[in-house]
Amino acid sequence: GSGGGGSSSSTTTGGGGRAVASLSSQCCALILTQPFTPSVVMERVDEVLFSDLGFGGVGKRLVQCCAAWRYVWGDGCGGGEKEKKRLGDGTGCCLVVDSGFSMTHVVPTVDAMAVRSGIRRLNIGGKLLTNYLKESISYRQWNMMDEFFIVNEAKEKLCFLSTQFEKEMRNAAKEKYRWFDREFVLPDFVDRFHGVVRLPQQLIMRNMMTQQAQTNNEHQKMKQQQQDTTPTQTNEHKKNTENTNADDDDDENNNNNNNDDDD
């Protein structure tokens, strides 16, 4: 990007054939890192950022500390240090569990700063879950041991995190078809190269029956309301009819009296 509001920039070509923006020295970079990254790798990153790309400054921060900052301080810290207000439980302490594809990092933080002596790494991640799901499907239904990417796609589209695990398991044991049941149609690699998620036919029929029952209940309520309002309308109509007849009789009497007076 350009600094100082200027819109023009010039480039110079180094001996290695790389184009370096002359205005890069006015820019800074923020690099999000993971715990236990080898120092050799970080030194190479610094070399690329400073020497090759020409950044004037580089800041490094753990991804987990950024998540802790969002939990502790919210969207920002206001206009100064005095305006900071802790969110969450108010202690400024936060334990971040960052689960990735191949590993999981557990990072304790205080005021969004990592306690490095307490950081732990577990070799458990999404890959392990995919392999477990692959084995389960191959044992129960279809041999998918060599289809890692298809099973991983099914996991990403269908699996979810239950916040009430015991309740969900009890309901799953009672009900034959659960609300979360889905069918995953495998790709045929002719018309489509990705799996398709669809509702089971039994759930479709049950949803249709539920909607039909709701519609019938609404119709019955409307009929009941109409029946409740009909007697009231009938009584009002009778009263209006009686009043009209009485007015007609009064008009006839007045006319007769006027005729008598003329005679």
Side-chain angles (χ1 to χ4, degrees):
S2 61
S7 59
S8 62
S9 62
S10 61
T11 59
T12 59
T13 303
R18 300 184 182 91
V20 180
S22 61
L23 294 178
S24 296
S25 60
Q26 303 179 19
C27 302
C28 297
L30 176 63
I31 305 299
L32 301 180
T33 62
Q34 290 288 346
F36 307 119
T37 303
S39 59
V40 177
V41 175
M42 299 308 300
E43 289 175 0
R44 180 54 185 163
V45 172
D46 293 339
E47 182 180 351
V48 171
L49 292 173
F50 287 111
S51 300
D52 297 344
L53 300 179
F55 280 97
V58 175
K60 299 176 184 177
R61 192 161 181 84
L62 293 177
V63 176
Q64 296 80 8
C65 291
C66 294
W69 178 277
R70 178 64 178 84
Y71 173 78
V72 175
W73 302 117
D75 293 331
C77 60
E81 295 290 333
K82 295 182 179 180
E83 297 184 12
K84 285 186 177 181
K85 183 179 180 181
R86 287 192 177 96
L87 303 178
D89 57 0
T91 62
C93 299
C94 179
L95 181 66
V96 180
V97 180
D98 182 13
S99 182
F101 182 72
S102 301
M103 66 196 70
T104 297
H105 287 107
V106 181
V107 181
T109 63
V110 178
D111 288 341
M113 299 297 292
V115 182
R116 295 190 176 274
S117 60
I119 298 177
R120 296 292 182 269
R121 168 179 165 171
L122 305 176
N123 294 325
I124 297 174
K127 183 179 180 181
L128 180 65
L129 297 178
T130 302
N131 290 332
Y132 177 76
L133 183 61
K134 183 173 60 174
E135 294 176 0
S136 299
I137 296 174
S138 300
Y139 177 76
R140 297 179 181 179
Q141 298 183 3
W142 194 262
N143 186 11
M144 301 292 291
M145 293 302 295
D146 297 330
E147 303 294 343
F148 178 85
F149 293 101
I150 295 177
V151 176
N152 189 68
E153 181 186 12
K155 180 197 71 175
E156 293 176 352
K157 289 184 177 180
L158 297 175
C159 295
F160 66 96
L161 180 64
S162 176
T163 57
Q164 297 177 345
F165 179 74
E166 295 181 356
K167 181 179 178 181
E168 293 287 351
M169 294 300 293
R170 288 196 299 268
N171 294 336
K174 295 178 182 179
E175 300 177 1
K176 186 176 181 180
Y177 299 104
R178 288 73 56 90
W179 63 268
F180 52 81
D181 286 341
R182 297 294 184 273
E183 292 179 353
F184 186 78
V185 183
L186 297 176
D188 55 8
F189 298 104
V190 177
D191 296 327
R192 65 178 185 274
F193 293 89
H194 296 280
V196 178
V197 179
R198 68 184 183 187
L199 277 174
Q201 190 65 29
Q202 294 81 359
L203 282 182
I204 295 176
M205 296 298 297
R206 190 173 71 177
N207 293 338
M208 292 177 60
M209 294 175 62
T210 302
Q211 292 178 358
Q212 186 64 33
Q214 292 178 353
T215 303
N216 293 335
N217 291 333
E218 291 178 357
H219 287 319
Q220 291 179 359
K221 289 181 180 179
M222 293 176 63
K223 288 182 180 180
Q224 186 65 32
Q225 291 177 357
Q226 291 177 357
Q227 291 177 359
D228 293 340
T229 56
T230 298
T232 303
Q233 293 178 354
T234 303
N235 294 331
E236 292 179 354
H237 180 69
K238 288 181 179 179
K239 290 180 180 179
N240 293 332
T241 303
E242 291 176 355
N243 293 331
T244 303
N245 293 333
D247 293 338
D248 292 339
D249 293 338
D250 293 337
D251 292 339
E252 289 180 359
N253 293 329
N254 292 330
N255 291 331
N256 292 330
N257 293 328
N258 292 330
N259 291 329
D260 293 338
D261 294 336
D262 293 336
D263 293 338

